[in-house]
Amino acid sequence: QPHTLVGALILCAPIFSVISEWLGYRKQDLRYDRLAKEVTKVTVILFSMTALTGGLFIFVLLAAYPQFTTWFINQFYLVFAVFYPFLFISGAIVLYTYFYMWEAWKGEKKGRHVALGVLLNLIGMTLLFVIDGPTSFMNTPVKAEGLSPQDLLATATLWDKIANQTWMPLNLHRID
């Protein structure tokens, strides 16, 4: 639960920051810019907490449910071994760049900084959509007529497992 809650903050705070920063730039009001920078500072601090709680969570799962966790990670190997780490590391790099380039990209370069914030948000949304795939699979596994669950899992592609009945509603719910 802490990982999910802090992760939600990590996703929503950059959205708020970019909107505030853009408003400050548009209205030439430094209060919006200061607010956006302070929210981003909190996001930078909590980003490491999200990583720590997520890492702790995976170790707890491996200790408490080793067979299930191994099976589940194997079902979504590309998600857990490639897509999620790539997006998480990319998000961290862009987040830290966004925060530490705040003063350097002022004035005429502010548009670049806002664009970097938009990129951060796109990476965050993509990360959310990717990790919602295994979550939705746990809620509504792949279904097909006439196949046993074992046969279905053996023939289902990664996309079949992710894009089920609850994937997009879960994405919309977690964005909200």
Side-chain angles (χ1 to χ4, degrees):
Q1 188 67 28
H3 177 69
T4 304
L5 293 174
V6 175
L9 178 68
I10 296 302
L11 181 63
C12 76
I15 295 170
F16 178 81
S17 291
V18 169
I19 292 170
S20 295
E21 182 182 17
W22 180 79
L23 281 172
Y25 176 66
R26 181 106 167 126
K27 294 183 175 195
Q28 296 299 313
D29 189 345
L30 291 178
R31 293 179 299 171
Y32 288 106
D33 195 67
R34 277 195 310 266
L35 173 65
K37 187 174 181 183
E38 290 300 315
V39 169
T40 303
K41 185 188 300 184
V42 172
T43 305
V44 167
I45 294 166
L46 290 177
F47 196 82
S48 59
M49 185 177 163
T50 303
L52 290 172
T53 57
L56 177 65
F57 179 62
I58 195 69
F59 285 123
V60 168
L61 281 178
L62 283 168
Y65 308 103
Q67 291 175 324
F68 171 75
T69 305
T70 303
W71 174 84
F72 190 67
I73 289 172
N74 285 333
Q75 293 297 311
F76 294 94
Y77 183 77
L78 278 175
V79 169
F80 291 120
V82 178
F83 300 134
Y84 190 81
F86 173 76
L87 289 167
F88 191 84
I89 292 167
S90 299
I93 291 168
V94 173
L95 173 63
Y96 286 104
T97 304
Y98 179 68
F99 180 68
Y100 288 108
M101 293 301 289
W102 208 288
E103 298 302 319
W105 284 356
K106 281 183 163 180
E108 293 177 8
K109 296 180 181 178
K110 192 55 131 171
R112 292 180 194 171
H113 195 260
V114 171
L116 189 63
V118 170
L119 176 64
L120 173 62
N121 284 297
L122 290 174
I123 291 171
M125 289 290 183
T126 305
L127 182 64
L128 174 74
F129 285 11
V130 165
I131 206 61
D132 277 350
T135 305
S136 69
F137 174 81
M138 300 229 357
N139 292 323
T140 53
V142 180
K143 292 185 181 179
E145 300 296 324
L147 290 175
S148 69
Q150 292 80 14
D151 292 338
L152 182 59
L153 280 177
T155 60
T157 66
L158 179 62
W159 183 247
D160 292 335
K161 295 172 189 174
I162 288 175
N164 59 44
Q165 297 89 341
T166 59
W167 182 57
M168 195 50 71
L170 182 61
N171 290 332
L172 294 173
H173 166 71
R174 291 193 51 193
I175 290 172
D176 186 30

